[in-house]
Each structure stands twice: as C-alpha cells, then as structure tokens.
C-alpha cells in the first residue's frame, strides 16, 4: 500500500465513531455545534481520564499508531509510561499528530486561539511543513484535536471546513485542556512525534526514517496551566526515549543519535515551567532543540549498527512532577 492509498481522516473517523459510541465509558461528552460539527469534550466540563487520553492520542496519530500504558523499570518514582509506535511515523507524527495548525479568532478576553493537530491538517495542508511531506489526504470528513479549554467558535468551524474541503457537519473537534488527565496523556504521547520533528529540524531526510517507537513517563496533572504544561514537556525532555530505524550510512545514524537528545539544547537543565517563565511566556525564545526526548537510539537498518546518546534525568523529573 502506498502513501497515496492511505486516508488518515478515514481511518481516524472510525476511531472517532468508536469514541462517540463509548462516550459514557470514557467519561466524555459529545455534542453538535451551530454548524452541525461534532464536538467532543474530553476533559473540561467532563471527567475524561487516562483511557480517554489514550483514545485521543491515537486519533492524533491518524490511525497509523498505537499507544499503550505499561510499567517501566527506569523511573522508580514514576513507574508507568506511555509507549508509542507507528507503522508509518512520518505521516502519523508529522502529517497528523504535530500541533502545527494555528487557529485563532477575535481579540481580547473572548479571543480564541488553539493549535490544531490530527489528520485534518493533511486535508488543509496550510503549513509549510507539507511542502516537504510526500502525502496528501482526500476524505469526506475531517478531525482535529485542540489543546484548549473550550470548543472553537463557529468562525473557526467554517474556516476548518472550507480549508479541509468538507461540509461543517463532517468536521469533528476534540478538545481537552492540558490540566486534565486526557489532555496530559495526549501531550506526553507526542514523544515519538517530537523525535521526528527534531530529526526534521536537523535536516535528516524524512524518507529515510522507516519505523519508530518511543516512550515517556505518565506525568501527574496540575490545576495550573503553566505547571501542567511544564510537566508534560518535562516527561519528554527529561524522561522520554525514542528509537528510530533509518536507512542509509551508519555514520548518518550515529550523527542523528548524537544530535537528537534534549541534552544538546542550551536551555536543558531546568524544569520547563521555569524555562517558560524565564522567557516571559514567549515560546519562540526557547531553544527549539530543547523539544526532544532525553534519550535517543538510532539503528541503521542496512548495517545493523545501533547508536545511543543522552539519558534519563531522574532528578529533573522529580523536581518537575513534585
């Protein structure tokens, strides 16, 4: 099956239908918006939970990934971790899961802003990243996941439907604030995507990344947004591990492994909430190399050689998680 045969919005639509059917069990609420769009609240006015977060995270991967929760032997104080694997990590992580579609409307206190992730991005293709991805989806329905504490206004629904080329009633928005259990889970589950995105930033050819698996500890939630955001980032930056399988020369795999870990960043060494506050909440001032797993493993599949770099920082995890 070629990439053009895959419709991640169609695959994800099936997962959305299962989520809706199991709404009571997942402790989520499903409603219809003004334009007939489906709105799923996974953690604001409803309890949600870890199971809902796992479902949302797999939807973010466009139906091309699996996420589980299992004990780990590497973090004695935080013994459970999310494990992510994908059959097509470039499409799953970069064409779908990456939160790259900025959606905003209005000004002042009533303004809405959220970063959209999920397969709807591959229909709209509004981001420069898509010029480098050899993938374009076609589907009759679109799904977006928003890190937000509210559903988008009708103007955002209209924009998304227009840009995705589907009627508003075929659009689904799933939202959960980072402070919620579901919201936290779906952010930590981006540990593989973070590794893929950094590989892209390092100019490693995406076509040579053929498989991937990653894990990160389940971070405890926090009612304060900055603290909650900090913990989910620290789970990846100080506790995340990623194993990429690549084609090409072993020397390239070795170089990628050495450059991939978060330890290469000038901002490494403090809980993310402290880094965020030090830059007065300006994400764009934070060194982008910080957004990467703590430990990297890269295997050159054609030679069988594997390279390791970085490491788990237990003390910083403890400082962040409390």
């Amino acid at each position: 099956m070629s990439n053009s045969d895959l419709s991640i919005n169609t695959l994800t639509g099936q997962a959305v239908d299962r989520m809706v059917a199991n709404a009571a069990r997942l402790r989520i609420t499903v409603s219809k918006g003004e334009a007939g769009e489906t709105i799923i609240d996974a953690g604001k006015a409803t309890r949600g939970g870890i199971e809902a977060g796992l479902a949302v995270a797999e939807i973010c991967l466009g139906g091309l990934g699996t996420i589980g929760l299992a004990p780990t032997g590497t973090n004695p104080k935080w013994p459970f971790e999310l494990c992510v694997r994908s059959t097509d990590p470039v499409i799953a992580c970069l064409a779908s899961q990456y939160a790259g579609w900025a959606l905003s409307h209005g000004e002042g206190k009533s303004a809405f802003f959220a970063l959209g992730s999920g397969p709807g991005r591959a229909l709209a293709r509004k981001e420069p990243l898509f010029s480098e991805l050899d993938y374009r989806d076609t589907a009759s329905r679109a799904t977006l996941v928003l890190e937000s504490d509210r559903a988008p206004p009708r103007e955002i629904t209209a924009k998304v439907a227009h840009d995705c080329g589907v009627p508003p009633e075929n659009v689904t928005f799933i939202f959960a604030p980072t402070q919620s259990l579901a919201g936290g889970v779906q952010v930590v589950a981006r540990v593989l995507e973070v590794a893929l995105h950094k590989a892209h930033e390092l100019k490693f050819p995406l076509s040579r990344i053929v498989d991937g698996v990653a894990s990160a500890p389940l971070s405890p939630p926090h009612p304060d947004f900055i603290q909650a955001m900090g913990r989910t980032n620290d789970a990846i930056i100080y506790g995340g591990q990623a194993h990429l399988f690549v084609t090409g020369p072993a020397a390239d795999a070795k170089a990628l492994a050495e450059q991939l870990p978060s330890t290469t960043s000038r901002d490494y060494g403090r809980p993310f909430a402290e880094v965020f506050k030090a830059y007065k909440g300006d994400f764009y001032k934070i060194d982008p190399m910080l957004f990467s797993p703590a430990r990297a493993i890269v295997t050159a599949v054609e030679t069988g050689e594997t390279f390791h770099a970085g490491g788990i920082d237990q003390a910083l995890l403890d400082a962040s998680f409390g």
Side-chain angles (χ1 to χ4, degrees):
M1 178 180 285
S2 68
N3 286 352
S4 61
D5 295 323
L6 292 167
S7 171
I8 56 177
N9 280 277
T10 301
L11 287 172
T12 300
Q14 298 165 7
V16 170
D17 292 343
R18 289 192 295 271
M19 209 176 170
V20 170
N22 292 300
R25 181 177 66 82
L26 293 172
R27 301 186 301 194
I28 61 175
T29 58
V30 182
S31 61
K32 290 292 184 180
E34 294 180 29
E37 73 275 21
T38 299
I39 298 170
I40 299 177
D41 177 352
K44 176 57 180 177
T46 189
R47 176 65 65 183
I50 292 171
E51 192 69 21
L54 293 172
V56 174
E58 289 198 353
I59 285 170
C60 283
L61 286 167
L64 297 177
T66 302
I67 302 171
L69 187 63
T72 172
T74 57
N75 296 299
K77 284 189 70 175
W78 316 105
F80 297 97
E81 66 181 4
L82 296 166
C83 186
V84 185
R85 64 185 190 274
S86 173
T87 55
D88 197 327
V90 174
I91 294 178
C93 294
L94 297 185
S96 188
Q97 191 181 27
Y98 176 58
W101 193 0
L103 298 168
S104 62
H105 178 75
E107 297 179 354
K109 293 183 178 180
S110 62
F112 177 88
F113 176 80
L115 291 174
S117 64
R121 294 175 49 242
L123 290 173
R125 293 176 59 91
K126 288 295 183 179
E127 306 151 48
L129 175 62
F130 281 96
S131 66
E132 302 176 50
L133 298 178
D134 184 23
Y135 180 73
R136 180 185 295 274
D137 195 12
T138 57
S140 59
R141 60 191 296 184
T143 301
L144 279 182
V145 174
L146 308 174
E147 283 181 59
S148 175
D149 61 0
R150 60 188 170 117
R154 64 179 182 276
E155 292 86 357
I156 294 294
T157 298
K159 172 181 171 53
V160 168
H162 175 269
D163 290 349
C164 291
V166 301
E169 59 268 25
N170 287 4
V171 175
T172 296
F173 291 105
I174 304 172
F175 74 94
T178 307
Q179 300 95 310
S180 67
L181 273 169
V185 166
Q186 74 92 8
V187 175
V188 175
R190 296 172 184 272
V191 58
L192 181 59
E193 174 254 295
V194 167
L196 266 288
H197 190 261
K198 186 164 184 180
H200 172 255
E201 291 292 309
L202 293 169
K203 310 301 182 185
F204 189 87
L206 295 176
S207 61
R208 288 171 52 190
I209 302 174
V210 297
D211 219 322
V213 61
S215 65
L218 178 67
S219 60
H222 195 285
D224 177 75
F225 169 71
I226 293 177
Q227 292 298 323
M229 176 187 63
R231 288 179 174 184
T232 57
N233 277 279
D234 290 335
I236 295 172
I237 294 168
Y238 300 120
Q241 307 179 76
H243 190 166
L244 302 183
F245 299 83
V246 305
T247 59
D252 291 357
K254 181 175 185 292
L256 178 61
E258 291 172 348
Q259 296 175 76
L260 204 55
S262 54
T263 50
T264 62
S265 169
R266 68 171 187 267
D267 286 326
Y268 182 94
R270 290 181 292 170
F272 185 81
E274 291 184 17
V275 175
F276 185 74
K277 289 177 181 177
Y279 286 113
K280 303 187 186 304
D282 189 342
F283 263 107
Y284 296 102
K285 290 184 178 179
I286 300 172
D287 180 11
M289 295 296 102
L290 183 64
F291 298 99
S292 44
R295 180 168 178 251
I297 309 164
V298 181
T299 295
V301 295
E302 292 161 331
T303 69
E305 296 171 83
T306 297
F307 305 93
H308 304 255
I312 304 299
D313 195 319
Q314 190 64 53
L316 279 167
L317 278 177
D318 291 348
S320 173
F321 289 4

